[in-house]
Amino acid sequence: MPDTAVMPIPGHIDPVPVPRAVPQRADGKRDLIGLPKAAIQAELEAAGLEPKQAKLRAKQLWHWIYNRGVTDFSAMTDIAKAQHPWLAERFVIGRPEVVTAQVSGDGTRKWLLRAPDGQDYEMVFIPDADRGTLCVSSQVGCTLNCRFCHTGTMRLVRNLTPGEIVGQVMLARDALGEWPSSPEGRLLTNIVMMGMGEPLYNFDAVRDALKLVMDGDGLALSKRRITLSTSGVVPMMARAGEEIGVNLAVSLHAVRKEVRDEIVPLNRKYGIEELLGACAAYPGANNARRITFEYVMLKDKNDSDADARELVRLIRHYKLPAKVNLIPFNPWPGAPYECSTPERIKRFSDLIFEAGISAPVRTPRGRDIDAACGQLKTAAERKSRAELDRLAEEKQAALG
């Protein structure tokens, strides 16, 4: 892998350098979740096993952890019983701590999770008739300040580790009873990196976690069933296509510079034209693997006929294999916008469909438990309107 400079992260971060060390457990044990085979082998060697034995044990452990979902060494029947206590004294196969688990009236599930260092983050599972989608977080808080998004009102505390990211998938598998890994009859069929945070500002951890998810001998979820969503971190988009290779979704939300500058402030750093050029160059994008443009419908802000026609023009101009997901705005306390009317959303959708571009309207899910798109925010984060405005100004100043 080529050496690359660490991406500067705009907005507020804590004084600890990012990336930072994996949070240490109070018991001093090493959590094996998030580690590939080679790293598990290295941990076993560091603990005293000779290399040949460590290589064999790492292969066995990896299978039990990622294919079978086992969290207890004593259940690993092909590892000698005498070695179970040795492993249990030094290592753990963890899961995120569940603080709360909620179920919406429409079946959507939301978990508030806590890391060993006390930081909270959220994940959501959305069941449908033909699929089940897990919305996975990549950061505690968020770097950006998208004005319509509740998560964007939080400070970025830190990046999640590969173990904390893949741990969300494994916890969902636990809850759904879907071990061992099998492609047949799964409830959890799709993953979207659309939870808390901007995935491309935590690139290495997201890539390493998704490689474990996509490994055919492990969690075995096809890259075609994984979508990574970005607000438009242009310098990292090509690397995402080359090194991860999953589907791309872009939080577009506006087609006029002044509007996107307001609601997606990252646009001031990477403009619409630069962003769409990166979409056109995204590795693997074609009519069978279209780029998804997410577009939240905000009353009298981005929902005019002219906006719809300009969106069509841009997609055609850049020759993009694209579809548009229209998202009715999900309100939250203190939000500065209202949702477009159903009639306006339908008209907007019709104009795009008439141009031959798919533009379905997403049915809001989990609104009653604040699990819908743009609503994720830990319950511990409660701020006044003045504090939210001050934080927004800080983030926007950092973006330049």
Side-chain angles (χ1 to χ4, degrees), residues 308-386:
R309 293 189 178 103
E310 176 64 4
L311 178 53
V312 169
R313 187 194 71 80
L314 287 169
I315 290 172
R316 286 176 169 170
H317 176 75
Y318 286 93
K319 299 180 173 62
L320 295 171
K323 61 180 177 180
V324 180
N325 268 354
L326 300 179
I327 307 168
F329 173 62
N330 294 304
W332 43 270
Y337 304 111
E338 296 178 44
C339 184
S340 305
T341 65
E343 296 77 18
R344 180 94 295 265
I345 295 173
K346 183 178 186 306
R347 169 67 177 166
F348 198 97
S349 174
D350 288 346
L351 286 171
I352 300 171
F353 267 116
E354 287 165 8
I357 300 166
S358 177
V361 179
R362 184 185 296 175
T363 302
R365 301 290 300 275
R367 274 183 170 177
D368 56 325
I369 56 170
D370 289 338
C373 181
Q375 289 187 313
L376 293 193
K377 186 170 191 260
T378 62
E381 286 278 334
R382 303 297 186 203
K383 294 186 175 71
S384 68
R385 182 74 255 171

Side-chain angles (χ1 to χ4, degrees), residues 228-354:
L228 183 150
S229 177
T230 179
S231 292
V233 185
V234 168
M236 303 300 289
M237 287 169 62
R239 279 190 66 193
E242 291 160 1
E243 297 180 31
I244 308 175
V246 296
N247 301 316
L248 179 69
V250 174
S251 295
L252 188 62
H253 305 307
V255 291
R256 289 176 282 138
K257 181 184 186 307
E258 67 276 11
V259 177
R260 195 164 194 268
D261 280 353
E262 174 190 334
I263 65 176
V264 187
L266 188 63
N267 196 67
R268 302 176 189 180
K269 191 175 184 73
Y270 308 114
I272 293 174
E273 294 79 9
E274 191 178 358
L275 171 59
L276 296 182
C279 290
Y282 186 74
N286 54 47
N287 286 328
R289 294 187 66 201
R290 293 174 292 171
I291 293 170
T292 299
F293 289 107
E294 296 161 328
Y295 199 100
V296 66
M297 300 299 294
L298 304 174
K299 184 179 180 181
D300 300 329
K301 179 60 67 173
N302 64 352
D303 62 352
S304 69
D305 286 6
D307 288 317
R309 293 189 178 103
E310 176 64 4
L311 178 53
V312 169
R313 187 194 71 80
L314 287 169
I315 290 172
R316 286 176 169 170
H317 176 75
Y318 286 93
K319 299 180 173 62
L320 295 171
K323 61 180 177 180
V324 180
N325 268 354
L326 300 179
I327 307 168
F329 173 62
N330 294 304
W332 43 270
Y337 304 111
E338 296 178 44
C339 184
S340 305
T341 65
E343 296 77 18
R344 180 94 295 265
I345 295 173
K346 183 178 186 306
R347 169 67 177 166
F348 198 97
S349 174
D350 288 346
L351 286 171
I352 300 171
F353 267 116
E354 287 165 8

Side-chain angles (χ1 to χ4, degrees), residues 40-86:
I40 294 175
Q41 179 179 341
E43 292 287 345
L44 293 173
E45 288 184 27
L49 288 189
E50 59 92 19
K52 189 173 181 180
Q53 187 183 21
K55 183 176 182 180
L56 171 62
R57 289 287 177 260
K59 182 178 179 181
Q60 292 169 320
L61 286 167
W62 196 91
H63 172 79
W64 283 106
I65 292 169
Y66 296 115
N67 183 273
R68 306 296 292 271
V70 166
T71 58
D72 187 342
F73 294 110
S74 65
M76 300 179 180
T77 54
D78 59 353
I79 295 177
K81 286 184 179 180
Q83 199 161 46
H84 293 164
W86 184 89

Side-chain angles (χ1 to χ4, degrees), residues 30-41:
R30 181 71 163 101
D31 195 337
L32 298 181
I33 293 294
L35 300 184
K37 285 192 191 87
I40 294 175
Q41 179 179 341

